[in-house]
Amino acid sequence: MVASQDEEVSEAPRAAGPGPVPRWEHFEHMADIGVRGVGTSPAQAFEQAALAMVAVITSPAKVRPVESVTVSCRAADPELLLVDWLNTLVYEMASRGMLFSRFDVRVEDGRLDATVRGESTDRRRHDPAVEVKGATLTELSVHRDAEGHWVAQCVVDV
């Protein structure tokens, strides 16, 4: 099954293309879960990929954006920057005991700077489904699709 913000569950994976932009979605990958962000810029696609990753854990709509955290990453190419970005978020959520739901990302010259907003994890209200252990190089891609949208995706280990 494939989940996205547009529809709870879909029978088959959707191609990144037609549909609202920005958006996030999940795609099947054996025991792990693929996360995909689509946007009008690389930064917006990275924001949507982060939302897709949070949606593996809980509904982002349940997470109030009450506390801000600033993060930065650097990488040699956009694909490695995506993995570093998502792994930085995994680290920040684990070390701070937080979940995030809002992402303000800037990407330029191999550097990502972001302000992320969220709140302390409340197991009763957030009802976390799984723990994301990290982003992987599997299915890793940052590219423009046929419609000109930016797509950022990889598989996360759960």
Side-chain angles (χ1 to χ4, degrees):
M1 300 298 235
V2 175
S4 77
Q5 69 192 34
D6 304 329
E7 51 193 69
E8 251 338 278
V9 178
S10 170
E11 290 300 316
R14 288 188 338 198
V21 174
R23 71 175 181 278
W24 62 262
E25 53 198 34
H26 296 149
F27 59 92
E28 292 183 33
H29 185 271
M30 293 187 264
D32 294 321
I33 299 172
V35 295
R36 178 180 296 129
V38 181
T40 58
S41 67
Q44 195 174 62
F46 279 39
E47 290 169 354
Q48 294 300 308
L51 275 170
M53 185 175 73
V54 171
V56 170
I57 303 164
T58 189
S59 169
K62 293 181 180 180
V63 182
R64 297 178 301 217
V66 295
E67 204 175 316
S68 294
V69 176
T70 302
V71 298
S72 295
C73 312
R74 276 192 185 280
D77 61 53
E79 286 82 11
L80 294 178
L81 189 60
L82 175 64
V83 170
D84 194 24
W85 158 241
L86 295 177
N87 283 331
T88 296
L89 293 175
V90 168
Y91 170 79
E92 293 293 337
M93 288 189 294
S95 65
R96 295 173 184 270
M98 293 180 71
L99 291 168
F100 300 118
S101 62
R102 297 265 172 90
F103 306 91
D104 180 19
V105 174
R106 294 160 307 285
V107 176
E108 188 175 331
D109 298 327
R111 180 178 171 95
L112 180 148
D113 294 298
T115 301
V116 299
R117 293 174 183 82
E119 65 178 327
S120 294
T121 303
D122 178 338
R123 293 208 176 276
R124 294 175 109 187
R125 192 164 46 80
H126 296 134
D127 191 28
V130 297
E131 177 184 359
V132 173
K133 297 172 189 164
T136 72
L137 301 179
T138 305
E139 303 270 348
L140 177 60
S141 177
V142 176
H143 66 276
R144 282 191 123 152
D145 68 11
E147 286 77 32
H149 302 134
W150 282 94
V151 179
Q153 71 174 40
C154 71
V155 170
V156 294
D157 184 20
V158 293

